[in-house]
């Protein structure tokens, strides 16, 4: 218990050489992340602790994530040494044990749960889906089942596996639970990779547009040849892990834009983005169910988005009406060089009209006429000059009208 | 000596669990890199072993680079633990010592040289530039100076520093030597970064378009405030290190396209590329000298490029004339469904003419008429139908004429 409170207390922003969180808490001061401390409540599940998964786990550990749940059934080999993370002396250890050993040492504040098994085996599937459903850090999750564990589900599942069967297993579990996950992959020639966000019902799942091998139900193991291995590079895998965890942080700590799909082509330094919508004919029945559920709540989402837009517009307007610099210790002011005061006060409707009448250089004219100053604001709502609306109340009226259109 | 030969012998491509190079040598089999073994002869100098430099060093070490020369004057602190590489128990060690300790353990095949000093101090500059000039692995470098060390210069310098003074020092050294280097940087708010290739005389140097603080000769140390630190993230730094080393591998092992500049904006997953040409009014006199030297050899480069183009075109033509599949155990052949044999043999000039006369669907016509089969090849060289030229000798004639234009 004492250890626990010591742990949490360490997430402060003070700039000291012995504070491992000062550079992370600086994200708040710089205005990048509103609430960085929230990372302590986040639990991420990583399936596959190889070239991408191990680096993703290390990044999240160093960022101070609350908890990691790791799955892998492989052992560390010297043949893995061309990728980051594992060390030669860990050869022979299971990847999850070696990873937890290294990660706990790097950041003892993070909780770890590790499972050394193959998620594609039916015998393990119930346990696997159970850890996604109840492995989270919050214990206030509503539950209809009296016998269920009281903990909440994990916040995100990251797929860092190297085969289709494992992706299918993660996909099946997350579709059933409606659990958001991110997929990652690196090509066999080591020079391209991708990450993909999977929001059940909203975005394509792995079964919505499966690779040909999966769609043809060919056993991918039959495609491997004796004495031949895939190429890999620490660079490509490090970049893919970086893209994966960066988008994880953006999604869970709510900053920036989260990419639905982000590719990487090393040969040309090309990073394509795109969005894949779900397939109504998806072979996964849980995906089809999630699609229906997503459609059913479309109306609520639109209402929420409209509210968000209105609040943002109001906040923006309020901010624009604030002076740019609160303090003005040097007494700097904008000099009034025009007769009509137009340049310094564009939000005044009367001045705006004068602008349109008088302030045009020879040979130029305004594309639109401003309405006379006594015009009813409501009738001008959809005209391009509506931006001059002078107070927040008026703006919400306009927003309501726009929605009604 | 025995250790040395054991080291080199290990760079084999055999697929065994204990071969750390199998996944790298697979790059050859996959056709990505023609001569991966060349990495054993390469020496890279890394200035700054922090969030980017340490990860870059680890990536190159795991790739089996021949030698690394590291420069840093800083100590490992717990406040660095939010970035990859260093471990808490290394706190207090110099960054270069801690790095060599970790890297030697990861790959004992790599040679290391490490200097714990500040490259911006004049007292260190001569030594610094000397290690770039003579730190390389080849001992056959021609030298006019009898007293100079016999070793060649390093193959590449990577700048992974966090201040402008150090970039200026690296820039000055590399401009003086005509040494190719790559610059890297991460923003203070941790959500953007870049890498930039610097080829003295050909591309802009750091002084060609300096940041305002540098151009204004402001001491950047005066911009730092007590109790305030820059933000940093292992994701952004890992991605920038990955971009840096990926382009290092492409440049030194000659595959793919090397970016002149590659940016990364984490908020939007935007990766801009561009090319910065040198400034004829650059304040660095060595840069201006390198620009003149580069211009003086423009003619030779053009000739070399033309030769390269010709050889590539000849090789492509030869390849096109080869059957697509050497073996044809199923006896598959293209059926001849046209009267004039045109579809299966487009490289035959006579057939090509017949095509233009007979093989056009109703309502369509060829944009250009093919010349009659007995036309002099030389007079058709600049016509769009030149692509039908039927043998390699003819092509080199055409190339020579094109160059003469």
């Amino acid at each position: 218990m004492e250890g626990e409170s010591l742990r949490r207390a360490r997430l402060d922003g003070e700039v000291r050489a012995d504070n491992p969180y000062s550079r992370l808490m600086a994200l708040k001061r710089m205005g990048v992340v509103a609430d960085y401390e929230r990372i302590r409540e986040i639990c991420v599940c990583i399936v596959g602790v190889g070239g991408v998964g191990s680096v993703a786990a290390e990044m999240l550990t160093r960022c101070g994530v609350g908890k990691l749940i790791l799955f892998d059934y492989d052992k560390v080999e010297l043949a893995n040494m061309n990728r980051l993370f594992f060390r030669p002396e860990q050869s022979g250890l299971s990847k999850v044990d070696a990873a937890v050993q290294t990660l706990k040492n790097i950041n003892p504040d993070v909780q770890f749960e590790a499972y050394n098994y193959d998620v594609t085996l039916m015998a393990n599937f119930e346990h696997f889906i159970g850890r996604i459903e109840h492995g989270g850090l919050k214990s206030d999750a509503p539950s209809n089942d009296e016998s269920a564990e009281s903990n909440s589900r994990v916040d995100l599942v990251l797929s860092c596996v190297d085969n289709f069967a494992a992706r299918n297993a993660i996909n099946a579990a997350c579709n059933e639970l409606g659990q958001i996950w991110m997929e990652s992959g690196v090509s066999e020639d080591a020079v391209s990779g991708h990450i993909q966000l999977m929001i059940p019902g909203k975005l394509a799942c792995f079964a919505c547009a499966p690779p040909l091998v999966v769609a043809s139900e060919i056993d991918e193991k039959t495609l491997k040849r004796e004495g031949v291995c895939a190429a890999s590079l620490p660079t490509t895998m490090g970049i893919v892990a970086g893209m994966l965890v960066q988008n994880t942080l953006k999604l869970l700590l709510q900053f920036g834009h989260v990419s639905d799909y982000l590719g990487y082509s090393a040969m040309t330094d090309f990073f394509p983005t795109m969005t894949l919508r779900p397939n109504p004919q998806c072979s996964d029945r849980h995906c089809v169910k999630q699609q229906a559920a997503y459609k059913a709540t479309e109306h609520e989402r639109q209402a929420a988005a409209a509210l968000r837009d209105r609040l943002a517009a109001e906040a923006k307007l309020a901010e624009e009406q604030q002076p740019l610099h609160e303090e003005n210790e040097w007494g700097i002011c904008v000099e009034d060089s025009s007769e009509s005061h137009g340049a310094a006060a564009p939000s005044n409707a009367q001045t705006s009209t004068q602008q349109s009448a008088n302030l045009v250089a020879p040979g130029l004219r305004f594309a639109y006429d401003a309405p006379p100053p006594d015009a009813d604001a409501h009738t001008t709502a959809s005209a391009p000059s509506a931006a001059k609306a002078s107070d927040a109340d008026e703006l919400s009226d306009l927003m309501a009208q726009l929605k009604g259109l």
Side-chain angles (χ1 to χ4, degrees), chain A residues 259-292:
Chain A
S259 292
D260 291 340
Y261 175 102
L262 175 61
Y264 168 49
S265 166
M267 299 299 264
T268 52
D269 283 338
F270 177 56
F271 297 80
T273 55
M274 60 174 167
T275 295
L276 283 94
R277 294 284 168 215
N279 175 2
Q281 273 96 46
C282 181
S283 62
D284 186 314
R285 69 191 166 88
H286 289 294
C287 173
V288 176
K289 221 187 275 180
Q290 297 288 352
Q291 291 182 44

Side-chain angles (χ1 to χ4, degrees), chain A residues 49 57 61 68-71 85-86 90 94-107 110-115:
Chain A
V49 189
T61 297
L68 288 179
I69 307 181
L70 308 179
F71 295 88
F85 193 75
F86 290 115
Q90 295 178 315
S94 76
K95 283 186 177 172
V96 290
D97 286 349
V100 171
Q101 174 192 71
T102 299
L103 298 172
K104 262 193 178 156
N105 178 54
I106 289 171
N107 191 346
V110 180
Q111 291 179 39
F112 296 95
E113 228 180 271
Y115 299 103

Side-chain angles (χ1 to χ4, degrees), chain A residues 13-59:
Chain A
E14 204 189 324
V15 180
R16 293 189 324 268
D18 64 346
N19 178 7
Y21 296 110
S22 59
R23 264 73 163 170
L24 295 164
M25 293 296 281
L27 291 164
K28 285 182 72 173
R29 199 176 26 76
M30 300 241 171
V32 175
V33 182
D35 180 14
Y36 192 85
E37 291 94 329
R38 217 181 91 75
I39 200 159
R40 298 295 305 136
E41 294 152 30
I42 285 171
C43 173
V44 176
C45 181
I46 299 181
V47 190
V49 189
V52 172
S54 63
V55 180
E58 180 173 351
M59 287 173 170

Side-chain angles (χ1 to χ4, degrees), chain A residues 328-340:
Chain A
N328 188 5
E329 56 179 311
W330 301 98
I332 295 168
C333 65
V334 178
E335 273 219 10
D336 195 348
S337 63
S338 74
E339 280 180 304
S340 63

